[in-house]
Amino acid sequence: MGRITVSIIKADVGSLAGHHVVHPKQIEVAKESLQLAVDSGIILDYYVFNCGDDLQLLMTHRRGENNPEVHKVAWNVFKEVTEKVSKPLKLYAAGQDLLVDAFSGNIRGMGPGVAELEFDERPSDPIIVFAADKTEPGAWNLPLFKIFADPFNTAGLVIDPRLHAGFKFQILDVMEGLSVELSCPEEMYDLLALIGTPSRYVISKIYRKDGLPAASASTSRLSLIAGRYVGKDDPVCIVRAQSGLPAVGEILEAFAFPHLVAGWMRGSHNGPLMPVSLDDAKCTRFDGPPRVVALGFQLRDGYLEGPADLFDDPAFEWSRRKAMEIVDYMRRHGPFMPARLGPEEMEYTTLPMVLEKLKSRFKRVS
Ligand code: F6R
Ligand code: MG
Ligand code: MG
C-alpha cells in the first residue's frame, strides 16, 4: 500500500450553451490524455468528470503534493482539450481558466483549482471528492466545520474515542497570502471568527490531532490572480472517511442544509448550494443555482474503485426542494444586497465600470 497522493485539478476551459455544461468530447479527450500519463508511469489512476462547466481531473499517484510532473499532466490536458475541442467546436469561453501561456512548474496560481492530499493508504480507505459550480472555495467552510468540529453534525466527535480529541484546521487568508492553524474544539470560536468570512478566510487542510491527513480543499481565487473577474473559482475538496474519521453519512449530512454561498450569476450573487447527482450537475436557472456533487471512492493500492454518486438519492430531495424555495426568495431581491454581493466582492466584477461612468455626475451637497 504505502504513501499515496490524491490530486484533483479542475478548470473551466469552455462549455456548451454558455456556462452550462462540459461537452462530452472534452471529457473524451481528457480521458485519452490521462491514459497516456498512466502508460508513461506518471500517475496511477484517474477519473474524469464535470460539475457544470468545470472539467475535473481526479488522479492518484505516488509523487506527493505539488509535484511538477503531475501538475504538468493536468495543465497539458486542459491545453489539449482547449485546442482539440473547445476552440474547434467554438464552445463558450474556450480556455477561460488558463490564465498564463506556459506552464511554470506548479499549476497553483495559473488559473486551475487544485486540492491534493498525501497519506498512508489504510487497509480500507474510503474518500469523498466534492466539486461545486457557481461558487468559491470559501463555500466549503461551513460544511467542513460541521463535519470536523460540530458534534450536532458528527456524532463520532462525541462517541468515537478516535475522533474525540478533535481536528486541526489550516486556514488561508487569500487576500494576504498568510496561513494559520487552529485547533478544535479548544479554539472553535477563533476558528469561526475567521471562517465566517468565507471570501477571505478559507479552510485549506484538516488533520486529526495525531496528524492524520483528513481533508484538503482548493483555495485559489482567480480574480486575485488576474486582478479582475475571470469567472468564479468553482472549488473542489477531498475528504477521507470512516475508521476514526467522520463516517460517509456524517460527511454528507453537512450538505443536507443548502447554505448560502457566493458566486451565482456573474459571480455576483448569493444562492443556496444544492446537492445534486452527476447527471444533474449542470447549471440552468439564473446560471445556477450553485451545485455540488459528491463522489465516493475506495482506494485499492492507489487505484480508484468507484465512483458512488452520493447525492443521487431521494434522501437529498428535501434539500433540493429547500434550495429551490431559497432560490425563489433570493431572486425576489433582484439586484439588491444581500442577494447581490457586497461592494468589496463586486470590485472584481464589471460593476465598477458602470459606477465609473456615473462619477462625474455627482455634485457636492452643501
Ligand atoms: C460563469 C458564470 C455566469 C456568467 C454569466 C455572464 O461561471 O457564473 O453566470 O458570469 O453567464 O457571462 P458572460 O459575461 O460570459 O456573458
Ligand atoms: Mg464558465
Ligand atoms: Mg464553473
Side-chain angles (χ1 to χ4, degrees), residues 4 6-8 45-50 56-60 119 121-131 237-242 248 251-252 278 293-310:
I4 182 79
V6 178
S7 300
I8 177 158
D45 202 1
Y46 63 88
Y47 184 74
V48 180
F49 65 102
N50 72 291
Q56 310 280 348
L57 313 177
L58 176 64
M59 298 172 282
T60 55
F119 52 88
E121 186 181 322
R122 296 171 294 169
S124 181
D125 212 319
I127 61 167
I128 303 180
V129 174
F130 292 97
C237 179
I238 303 162
V239 181
R240 294 171 79 199
Q242 307 288 155
V248 166
I251 295 166
L252 300 179
L278 270 181
V293 296
L295 300 187
F297 294 90
Q298 286 293 142
L299 290 172
R300 176 178 42 82
D301 303 326
Y303 291 86
L304 293 160
E305 242 355 281
D309 189 354
L310 295 164

Side-chain angles (χ1 to χ4, degrees), residues 12 53-54 133-134 234:
D12 178 345
D53 58 8
D54 293 278
D133 193 26
K134 309 305 182 222
D234 306 312

Side-chain angles (χ1 to χ4, degrees), residues 77-157:
V77 171
F78 294 134
K79 276 279 182 206
E80 205 178 331
V81 169
T82 302
E83 296 306 324
K84 283 192 175 163
V85 187
S86 314
K87 286 185 180 170
L89 298 191
K90 303 215 173 214
L91 296 182
Y92 196 67
Q96 176 191 277
D97 286 355
L98 308 180
L99 300 183
V100 295
D101 292 331
F103 180 73
S104 64
N106 190 321
I107 204 165
R108 283 176 203 273
M110 299 174 72
V114 186
E116 296 185 290
L117 198 61
E118 186 184 16
F119 52 88
D120 285 314
E121 186 181 322
R122 296 171 294 169
S124 181
D125 212 319
I127 61 167
I128 303 180
V129 174
F130 292 97
D133 193 26
K134 309 305 182 222
T135 184
E136 59 178 12
W140 304 132
N141 283 4
L142 187 148
L144 285 177
F145 173 81
K146 282 168 76 167
I147 294 164
F148 290 101
D150 179 2
F152 281 73
N153 180 89
T154 299
L157 291 169

Side-chain angles (χ1 to χ4, degrees), residues 18 37 114 137 167 173 185 224 254 305 314:
V114 186
F167 289 85
D173 174 344
L224 298 180
E305 242 355 281

Side-chain angles (χ1 to χ4, degrees), residues 33-49:
S33 186
L34 285 179
Q35 186 55 47
L36 294 178
V38 170
D39 297 343
S40 61
I42 300 174
I43 60 172
L44 275 176
D45 202 1
Y46 63 88
Y47 184 74
V48 180
F49 65 102

